[in-house]
Amino acid sequence: MTHRSRGSARTALTRAAFVTAPLLILAYGVIRLTDPDHGPGPVWTTGHLALTAAMLLFVPVFARLWALARQDAGRAGRLSAGTATLLGLAGTLAVTVQACIDLQVGFRAADRPAMERLFEQVQSHPGVVPAVYGVGPLLFYVGLVWILVQLSARRRVSFWSPLAAVAGTAVAAAGGLDLMPLSAALFCASLAPLTRRRPADGPSGRAGEAPVRLTAVRW
């Protein structure tokens, strides 16, 4: 495989991640709704594996958004894009850690009360609650909306893209995990148009057309 073909394959995978990542979050939300007890078992494991995969896919998504936002941007624009990307990636890491904790607890516990005890043990460590369950996950939303607003202001994406992301964030904040499928669908609508953007598109590209339990953000 030539260097050019490898680059094309990576680009195709990155573009696919713009849809696959939110769809995996949607899958997590739907799977979660089928398990009213939210106890250990195959459903819990499958859902959190989908969530973990989604967060891993958001790494290339944020990298691509950063690359688009900094193209032909001035110093302030590049700084803004870099800050938004770092915040988004920090939030992605927080959610990934939370999902991994949930998976480990699910493997170790025999029932929901045992899971609660294990969660309390984990969250008793200093800094875990704000970093993994509080402020940390919020950064995912902040970074994503921020960079989409910047792209929209420069007409790299339609103004509907950040609006859909804001709506997805609002739904997640208002409805919690029970509305996660709807929130994920809005994020998918926000990011899907970017699958049509070519890597070489410049400023004239038409992508816009073409628990102590602080439960601020519990995935």
Side-chain angles (χ1 to χ4, degrees):
M1 182 179 291
T2 65
H3 176 74
R4 183 173 182 177
S5 61
R6 286 197 299 267
S8 298
R10 286 195 298 269
T11 300
L13 289 172
T14 298
R15 290 166 62 187
F18 279 94
V19 172
T20 307
L23 285 180
L24 282 169
I25 296 177
L26 189 153
Y28 160 70
V30 172
I31 291 169
R32 179 185 174 277
L33 291 176
T34 67
D35 181 21
D37 295 329
H38 307 305
V43 177
W44 176 271
T45 300
T46 302
H48 284 84
L49 285 175
L51 178 59
T52 303
M55 290 299 108
L56 293 177
L57 286 175
F58 265 107
V59 174
V61 166
F62 274 111
R64 180 62 178 150
L65 291 173
W66 171 72
L68 291 173
R70 69 192 299 270
Q71 280 180 0
D72 305 315
R75 182 177 180 181
R78 293 193 300 271
L79 179 61
S80 176
T83 302
T85 301
L86 288 175
L87 290 176
L89 289 174
T92 299
L93 176 61
V95 178
T96 303
V97 171
Q98 187 180 138
C100 290
I101 291 173
D102 288 353
L103 282 169
Q104 180 67 13
V105 167
F107 288 138
R108 293 179 58 190
D111 51 29
R112 185 67 200 189
M115 290 177 68
E116 294 293 345
R117 291 191 293 271
L118 287 172
F119 280 130
E120 290 176 1
Q121 291 176 17
V122 172
Q123 296 176 12
S124 66
H125 296 286
V128 169
V129 170
V132 180
Y133 294 92
V135 177
L138 290 173
L139 300 180
F140 170 84
Y141 298 103
V142 172
L144 184 60
V145 171
W146 181 343
I147 201 164
L148 287 174
V149 168
Q150 182 173 344
L151 286 168
S152 179
R154 301 186 62 209
R155 301 191 178 186
R156 297 293 181 91
V157 299
S158 166
F159 72 94
W160 288 109
S161 187
L163 284 181
V166 170
T169 302
V171 167
L177 294 178
D178 289 342
L179 291 183
M180 185 60 70
L182 175 58
S183 177
L186 288 166
F187 283 120
C188 189
S190 173
L191 296 173
L194 285 129
T195 63
R196 297 194 295 268
R197 174 174 286 277
R198 296 180 180 178
D201 281 349
S204 61
R206 297 183 180 181
E209 301 174 2
V212 199
R213 188 158 286 163
L214 176 59
T215 55
V217 186
R218 179 68 188 270
W219 290 66

PDB file of all heavy atoms in Angstrom, residues 105-129:
ATOM      1  N   VAL A 105     -16.291  -2.409  37.414  1.00  0.00           N
ATOM      2  CA  VAL A 105     -17.245  -2.639  38.496  1.00  0.00           C
ATOM      3  C   VAL A 105     -18.253  -3.721  38.098  1.00  0.00           C
ATOM      4  O   VAL A 105     -18.609  -4.595  38.900  1.00  0.00           O
ATOM      5  CB  VAL A 105     -17.969  -1.322  38.848  1.00  0.00           C
ATOM      6  CG1 VAL A 105     -19.188  -1.590  39.739  1.00  0.00           C
ATOM      7  CG2 VAL A 105     -17.014  -0.371  39.558  1.00  0.00           C
ATOM      8  N   GLY A 106     -18.709  -3.683  36.847  1.00  0.00           N
ATOM      9  CA  GLY A 106     -19.648  -4.685  36.365  1.00  0.00           C
ATOM     10  C   GLY A 106     -19.068  -6.082  36.378  1.00  0.00           C
ATOM     11  O   GLY A 106     -19.769  -7.058  36.667  1.00  0.00           O
ATOM     12  N   PHE A 107     -17.776  -6.193  36.073  1.00  0.00           N
ATOM     13  CA  PHE A 107     -17.130  -7.503  36.090  1.00  0.00           C
ATOM     14  C   PHE A 107     -16.961  -8.036  37.508  1.00  0.00           C
ATOM     15  O   PHE A 107     -17.047  -9.252  37.743  1.00  0.00           O
ATOM     16  CB  PHE A 107     -15.758  -7.419  35.418  1.00  0.00           C
ATOM     17  CG  PHE A 107     -15.818  -7.258  33.926  1.00  0.00           C
ATOM     18  CD1 PHE A 107     -14.967  -6.371  33.280  1.00  0.00           C
ATOM     19  CD2 PHE A 107     -16.710  -7.997  33.156  1.00  0.00           C
ATOM     20  CE1 PHE A 107     -15.012  -6.211  31.904  1.00  0.00           C
ATOM     21  CE2 PHE A 107     -16.757  -7.854  31.782  1.00  0.00           C
ATOM     22  CZ  PHE A 107     -15.913  -6.957  31.148  1.00  0.00           C
ATOM     23  N   ARG A 108     -16.723  -7.135  38.457  1.00  0.00           N
ATOM     24  CA  ARG A 108     -16.410  -7.556  39.820  1.00  0.00           C
ATOM     25  C   ARG A 108     -17.641  -7.782  40.688  1.00  0.00           C
ATOM     26  O   ARG A 108     -17.590  -8.565  41.639  1.00  0.00           O
ATOM     27  CB  ARG A 108     -15.513  -6.507  40.485  1.00  0.00           C
ATOM     28  CG  ARG A 108     -14.123  -6.390  39.883  1.00  0.00           C
ATOM     29  CD  ARG A 108     -13.315  -5.307  40.581  1.00  0.00           C
ATOM     30  NE  ARG A 108     -13.196  -5.564  42.018  1.00  0.00           N
ATOM     31  CZ  ARG A 108     -12.720  -4.690  42.887  1.00  0.00           C
ATOM     32  NH1 ARG A 108     -12.315  -3.495  42.475  1.00  0.00           N
ATOM     33  NH2 ARG A 108     -12.630  -5.001  44.165  1.00  0.00           N
ATOM     34  N   ALA A 109     -18.740  -7.082  40.376  1.00  0.00           N
ATOM     35  CA  ALA A 109     -19.904  -7.129  41.263  1.00  0.00           C
ATOM     36  C   ALA A 109     -20.876  -8.235  40.872  1.00  0.00           C
ATOM     37  O   ALA A 109     -21.003  -8.583  39.698  1.00  0.00           O
ATOM     38  CB  ALA A 109     -20.621  -5.780  41.247  1.00  0.00           C
ATOM     39  N   ALA A 110     -21.587  -8.751  41.886  1.00  0.00           N
ATOM     40  CA  ALA A 110     -22.581  -9.798  41.642  1.00  0.00           C
ATOM     41  C   ALA A 110     -23.971  -9.218  41.431  1.00  0.00           C
ATOM     42  O   ALA A 110     -24.826  -9.850  40.815  1.00  0.00           O
ATOM     43  CB  ALA A 110     -22.600 -10.775  42.805  1.00  0.00           C
ATOM     44  N   ASP A 111     -24.228  -8.011  41.964  1.00  0.00           N
ATOM     45  CA  ASP A 111     -25.540  -7.389  41.821  1.00  0.00           C
ATOM     46  C   ASP A 111     -25.392  -5.875  41.940  1.00  0.00           C
ATOM     47  O   ASP A 111     -24.291  -5.360  42.149  1.00  0.00           O
ATOM     48  CB  ASP A 111     -26.523  -7.922  42.873  1.00  0.00           C
ATOM     49  CG  ASP A 111     -25.957  -7.857  44.293  1.00  0.00           C
ATOM     50  OD1 ASP A 111     -25.134  -6.961  44.561  1.00  0.00           O
ATOM     51  OD2 ASP A 111     -26.339  -8.713  45.117  1.00  0.00           O
ATOM     52  N   ARG A 112     -26.510  -5.164  41.817  1.00  0.00           N
ATOM     53  CA  ARG A 112     -26.465  -3.699  41.846  1.00  0.00           C
ATOM     54  C   ARG A 112     -25.985  -3.143  43.188  1.00  0.00           C
ATOM     55  O   ARG A 112     -25.170  -2.214  43.203  1.00  0.00           O
ATOM     56  CB  ARG A 112     -27.843  -3.133  41.499  1.00  0.00           C
ATOM     57  CG  ARG A 112     -27.858  -1.613  41.396  1.00  0.00           C
ATOM     58  CD  ARG A 112     -27.043  -1.115  40.229  1.00  0.00           C
ATOM     59  NE  ARG A 112     -26.654   0.290  40.383  1.00  0.00           N
ATOM     60  CZ  ARG A 112     -26.075   1.001  39.415  1.00  0.00           C
ATOM     61  NH1 ARG A 112     -25.847   0.448  38.239  1.00  0.00           N
ATOM     62  NH2 ARG A 112     -25.742   2.254  39.620  1.00  0.00           N
ATOM     63  N   PRO A 113     -26.444  -3.653  44.331  1.00  0.00           N
ATOM     64  CA  PRO A 113     -25.905  -3.136  45.596  1.00  0.00           C
ATOM     65  C   PRO A 113     -24.393  -3.290  45.697  1.00  0.00           C
ATOM     66  O   PRO A 113     -23.704  -2.399  46.216  1.00  0.00           O
ATOM     67  CB  PRO A 113     -26.626  -3.978  46.654  1.00  0.00           C
ATOM     68  CG  PRO A 113     -27.921  -4.352  46.000  1.00  0.00           C
ATOM     69  CD  PRO A 113     -27.587  -4.584  44.571  1.00  0.00           C
ATOM     70  N   ALA A 114     -23.863  -4.406  45.208  1.00  0.00           N
ATOM     71  CA  ALA A 114     -22.407  -4.584  45.225  1.00  0.00           C
ATOM     72  C   ALA A 114     -21.738  -3.572  44.306  1.00  0.00           C
ATOM     73  O   ALA A 114     -20.652  -3.062  44.621  1.00  0.00           O
ATOM     74  CB  ALA A 114     -22.059  -6.004  44.788  1.00  0.00           C
ATOM     75  N   MET A 115     -22.372  -3.258  43.194  1.00  0.00           N
ATOM     76  CA  MET A 115     -21.828  -2.239  42.294  1.00  0.00           C
ATOM     77  C   MET A 115     -21.776  -0.879  42.993  1.00  0.00           C
ATOM     78  O   MET A 115     -20.791  -0.146  42.884  1.00  0.00           O
ATOM     79  CB  MET A 115     -22.679  -2.148  41.026  1.00  0.00           C
ATOM     80  CG  MET A 115     -22.576  -3.349  40.108  1.00  0.00           C
ATOM     81  SD  MET A 115     -23.670  -3.240  38.671  1.00  0.00           S
ATOM     82  CE  MET A 115     -22.912  -1.895  37.765  1.00  0.00           C
ATOM     83  N   GLU A 116     -22.837  -0.549  43.709  1.00  0.00           N
ATOM     84  CA  GLU A 116     -22.881   0.740  44.403  1.00  0.00           C
ATOM     85  C   GLU A 116     -21.740   0.853  45.412  1.00  0.00           C
ATOM     86  O   GLU A 116     -21.114   1.905  45.550  1.00  0.00           O
ATOM     87  CB  GLU A 116     -24.233   0.913  45.110  1.00  0.00           C
ATOM     88  CG  GLU A 116     -25.427   1.018  44.174  1.00  0.00           C
ATOM     89  CD  GLU A 116     -25.415   2.286  43.353  1.00  0.00           C
ATOM     90  OE1 GLU A 116     -24.664   3.224  43.687  1.00  0.00           O
ATOM     91  OE2 GLU A 116     -26.152   2.333  42.349  1.00  0.00           O
ATOM     92  N   ARG A 117     -21.462  -0.239  46.123  1.00  0.00           N
ATOM     93  CA  ARG A 117     -20.372  -0.217  47.100  1.00  0.00           C
ATOM     94  C   ARG A 117     -19.022  -0.010  46.402  1.00  0.00           C
ATOM     95  O   ARG A 117     -18.174   0.739  46.885  1.00  0.00           O
ATOM     96  CB  ARG A 117     -20.368  -1.513  47.920  1.00  0.00           C
ATOM     97  CG  ARG A 117     -21.550  -1.639  48.871  1.00  0.00           C
ATOM     98  CD  ARG A 117     -21.360  -2.792  49.847  1.00  0.00           C
ATOM     99  NE  ARG A 117     -21.383  -4.088  49.171  1.00  0.00           N
ATOM    100  CZ  ARG A 117     -22.488  -4.786  48.951  1.00  0.00           C
ATOM    101  NH1 ARG A 117     -23.667  -4.319  49.338  1.00  0.00           N
ATOM    102  NH2 ARG A 117     -22.444  -5.962  48.346  1.00  0.00           N
ATOM    103  N   LEU A 118     -18.842  -0.663  45.270  1.00  0.00           N
ATOM    104  CA  LEU A 118     -17.591  -0.503  44.531  1.00  0.00           C
ATOM    105  C   LEU A 118     -17.461   0.913  43.967  1.00  0.00           C
ATOM    106  O   LEU A 118     -16.373   1.501  43.977  1.00  0.00           O
ATOM    107  CB  LEU A 118     -17.525  -1.524  43.393  1.00  0.00           C
ATOM    108  CG  LEU A 118     -17.281  -2.972  43.829  1.00  0.00           C
ATOM    109  CD1 LEU A 118     -17.436  -3.916  42.640  1.00  0.00           C
ATOM    110  CD2 LEU A 118     -15.888  -3.127  44.436  1.00  0.00           C
ATOM    111  N   PHE A 119     -18.574   1.478  43.482  1.00  0.00           N
ATOM    112  CA  PHE A 119     -18.539   2.855  42.992  1.00  0.00           C
ATOM    113  C   PHE A 119     -18.135   3.817  44.107  1.00  0.00           C
ATOM    114  O   PHE A 119     -17.348   4.745  43.910  1.00  0.00           O
ATOM    115  CB  PHE A 119     -19.900   3.262  42.424  1.00  0.00           C
ATOM    116  CG  PHE A 119     -20.161   2.775  41.029  1.00  0.00           C
ATOM    117  CD1 PHE A 119     -21.339   2.117  40.719  1.00  0.00           C
ATOM    118  CD2 PHE A 119     -19.233   2.989  40.016  1.00  0.00           C
ATOM    119  CE1 PHE A 119     -21.583   1.666  39.433  1.00  0.00           C
ATOM    120  CE2 PHE A 119     -19.471   2.537  38.726  1.00  0.00           C
ATOM    121  CZ  PHE A 119     -20.653   1.881  38.429  1.00  0.00           C
ATOM    122  N   GLU A 120     -18.674   3.597  45.298  1.00  0.00           N
ATOM    123  CA  GLU A 120     -18.337   4.456  46.426  1.00  0.00           C
ATOM    124  C   GLU A 120     -16.855   4.361  46.778  1.00  0.00           C
ATOM    125  O   GLU A 120     -16.223   5.365  47.129  1.00  0.00           O
ATOM    126  CB  GLU A 120     -19.213   4.102  47.623  1.00  0.00           C
ATOM    127  CG  GLU A 120     -20.672   4.503  47.446  1.00  0.00           C
ATOM    128  CD  GLU A 120     -21.539   4.061  48.608  1.00  0.00           C
ATOM    129  OE1 GLU A 120     -20.982   3.459  49.562  1.00  0.00           O
ATOM    130  OE2 GLU A 120     -22.757   4.299  48.563  1.00  0.00           O
ATOM    131  N   GLN A 121     -16.300   3.146  46.688  1.00  0.00           N
ATOM    132  CA  GLN A 121     -14.870   2.985  46.954  1.00  0.00           C
ATOM    133  C   GLN A 121     -14.032   3.764  45.951  1.00  0.00           C
ATOM    134  O   GLN A 121     -13.085   4.463  46.315  1.00  0.00           O
ATOM    135  CB  GLN A 121     -14.502   1.496  46.908  1.00  0.00           C
ATOM    136  CG  GLN A 121     -15.061   0.666  48.046  1.00  0.00           C
ATOM    137  CD  GLN A 121     -14.740  -0.810  47.892  1.00  0.00           C
ATOM    138  OE1 GLN A 121     -13.853  -1.196  47.128  1.00  0.00           O
ATOM    139  NE2 GLN A 121     -15.463  -1.664  48.604  1.00  0.00           N
ATOM    140  N   VAL A 122     -14.396   3.642  44.690  1.00  0.00           N
ATOM    141  CA  VAL A 122     -13.643   4.352  43.649  1.00  0.00           C
ATOM    142  C   VAL A 122     -13.764   5.856  43.826  1.00  0.00           C
ATOM    143  O   VAL A 122     -12.779   6.594  43.770  1.00  0.00           O
ATOM    144  CB  VAL A 122     -14.148   3.933  42.248  1.00  0.00           C
ATOM    145  CG1 VAL A 122     -13.519   4.804  41.161  1.00  0.00           C
ATOM    146  CG2 VAL A 122     -13.839   2.471  41.974  1.00  0.00           C
ATOM    147  N   GLN A 123     -14.983   6.333  44.055  1.00  0.00           N
ATOM    148  CA  GLN A 123     -15.222   7.767  44.125  1.00  0.00           C
ATOM    149  C   GLN A 123     -14.758   8.396  45.435  1.00  0.00           C
ATOM    150  O   GLN A 123     -14.770   9.618  45.569  1.00  0.00           O
ATOM    151  CB  GLN A 123     -16.707   8.041  43.887  1.00  0.00           C
ATOM    152  CG  GLN A 123     -17.139   7.633  42.484  1.00  0.00           C
ATOM    153  CD  GLN A 123     -18.623   7.794  42.233  1.00  0.00           C
ATOM    154  OE1 GLN A 123     -19.333   8.427  43.022  1.00  0.00           O
ATOM    155  NE2 GLN A 123     -19.113   7.216  41.149  1.00  0.00           N
ATOM    156  N   SER A 124     -14.354   7.557  46.385  1.00  0.00           N
ATOM    157  CA  SER A 124     -13.837   8.100  47.642  1.00  0.00           C
ATOM    158  C   SER A 124     -12.428   8.652  47.495  1.00  0.00           C
ATOM    159  O   SER A 124     -11.952   9.406  48.346  1.00  0.00           O
ATOM    160  CB  SER A 124     -13.856   7.014  48.726  1.00  0.00           C
ATOM    161  OG  SER A 124     -12.938   5.966  48.414  1.00  0.00           O
ATOM    162  N   HIS A 125     -11.747   8.306  46.407  1.00  0.00           N
ATOM    163  CA  HIS A 125     -10.399   8.820  46.189  1.00  0.00           C
ATOM    164  C   HIS A 125     -10.458  10.293  45.793  1.00  0.00           C
ATOM    165  O   HIS A 125     -11.296  10.680  44.966  1.00  0.00           O
ATOM    166  CB  HIS A 125      -9.678   8.015  45.108  1.00  0.00           C
ATOM    167  CG  HIS A 125      -9.440   6.583  45.476  1.00  0.00           C
ATOM    168  ND1 HIS A 125      -8.485   6.190  46.390  1.00  0.00           N
ATOM    169  CD2 HIS A 125     -10.045   5.434  45.072  1.00  0.00           C
ATOM    170  CE1 HIS A 125      -8.491   4.881  46.521  1.00  0.00           C
ATOM    171  NE2 HIS A 125      -9.440   4.388  45.739  1.00  0.00           N
ATOM    172  N   PRO A 126      -9.593  11.125  46.350  1.00  0.00           N
ATOM    173  CA  PRO A 126      -9.631  12.560  46.060  1.00  0.00           C
ATOM    174  C   PRO A 126      -9.495  12.846  44.567  1.00  0.00           C
ATOM    175  O   PRO A 126      -8.652  12.278  43.884  1.00  0.00           O
ATOM    176  CB  PRO A 126      -8.420  13.100  46.839  1.00  0.00           C
ATOM    177  CG  PRO A 126      -8.165  12.095  47.915  1.00  0.00           C
ATOM    178  CD  PRO A 126      -8.535  10.761  47.328  1.00  0.00           C
ATOM    179  N   GLY A 127     -10.339  13.719  44.092  1.00  0.00           N
ATOM    180  CA  GLY A 127     -10.251  14.173  42.712  1.00  0.00           C
ATOM    181  C   GLY A 127     -11.012  13.341  41.705  1.00  0.00           C
ATOM    182  O   GLY A 127     -11.254  13.802  40.580  1.00  0.00           O
ATOM    183  N   VAL A 128     -11.406  12.125  42.088  1.00  0.00           N
ATOM    184  CA  VAL A 128     -12.069  11.252  41.116  1.00  0.00           C
ATOM    185  C   VAL A 128     -13.435  11.804  40.724  1.00  0.00           C
ATOM    186  O   VAL A 128     -13.792  11.834  39.536  1.00  0.00           O
ATOM    187  CB  VAL A 128     -12.200   9.821  41.678  1.00  0.00           C
ATOM    188  CG1 VAL A 128     -13.114   8.987  40.784  1.00  0.00           C
ATOM    189  CG2 VAL A 128     -10.832   9.173  41.798  1.00  0.00           C
ATOM    190  N   VAL A 129     -14.223  12.253  41.693  1.00  0.00           N
ATOM    191  CA  VAL A 129     -15.578  12.719  41.388  1.00  0.00           C
ATOM    192  C   VAL A 129     -15.566  13.915  40.445  1.00  0.00           C
ATOM    193  O   VAL A 129     -16.222  13.890  39.398  1.00  0.00           O
ATOM    194  CB  VAL A 129     -16.355  13.021  42.683  1.00  0.00           C
ATOM    195  CG1 VAL A 129     -17.665  13.738  42.370  1.00  0.00           C
ATOM    196  CG2 VAL A 129     -16.634  11.731  43.430  1.00  0.00           C
TER     197      VAL A 129
END
